[in-house]
Amino acid sequence: QVQLMESGGGLVQPGGSLRLSCAASGRILSFNRMGWYRQAPGKEREWVATITNLGSRNYADSVNGRFTISRDNAKNTVYLQMNSLKPEDTAVYYCNILVVFGEYWGQGTQVTVSS
């Protein structure tokens, strides 16, 4: 089993920045992929960004150039630095980890971009 604990959401004005964090604990093997997904009201959950334990990153087109995903393998923690936030970035952001034996989700953290 793997547990994920997210933090860092909140209310920010358009153009502002937020940093999300997600700490993983439990049975985490050396090879894994961590990432972030989001779900806006009335929409399906969508992929935002992922990073492997070797540091390979991928981003959705909608956030590429504005968001940066990073991780600290020693702390089993993944971060999402979100800059130039737009109202359409408003959503519940979910942390995700994919390991050899399964996939796990955090409880979600709300990000609201509004003036």
Side-chain angles (χ1 to χ4, degrees):
Q1 288 284 354
V2 177
Q3 295 79 41
L4 300 172
M5 182 62 68
E6 299 138 332
S7 61
L11 173 64
V12 64
Q13 293 186 343
S17 299
L18 278 177
R19 188 193 194 208
L20 305 182
S21 300
C22 174
S25 60
R27 189 184 172 201
I28 301 168
L29 303 181
S30 58
F31 177 77
N32 62 77
R33 187 191 72 193
M34 299 186 76
W36 294 92
Y37 291 70
R38 67 187 182 186
Q39 187 167 18
K43 295 187 177 181
E44 294 187 352
R45 188 174 298 186
E46 65 174 1
W47 166 66
V48 175
T50 48
I51 183 169
T52 71
N53 58 294
L54 299 179
S56 177
R57 298 173 172 85
N58 285 284
Y59 297 94
D61 289 342
S62 59
V63 306
N64 197 20
R66 300 188 297 122
F67 292 8
T68 302
I69 190 169
S70 61
R71 63 186 288 167
D72 183 335
N73 287 334
K75 297 181 180 180
N76 290 319
T77 299
V78 64
Y79 306 95
L80 186 68
Q81 178 66 44
M82 304 184 292
N83 298 329
S84 302
L85 282 161
K86 305 174 181 179
E88 51 263 44
D89 294 318
T90 295
V92 177
Y93 284 70
Y94 295 91
C95 179
N96 171 276
I97 184 168
L98 179 66
V99 294
V100 173
F101 52 83
E103 184 175 29
Y104 299 86
W105 296 89
Q107 80 285 356
T109 185
Q110 177 69 47
V111 172
T112 301
V113 184
S114 176
S115 56

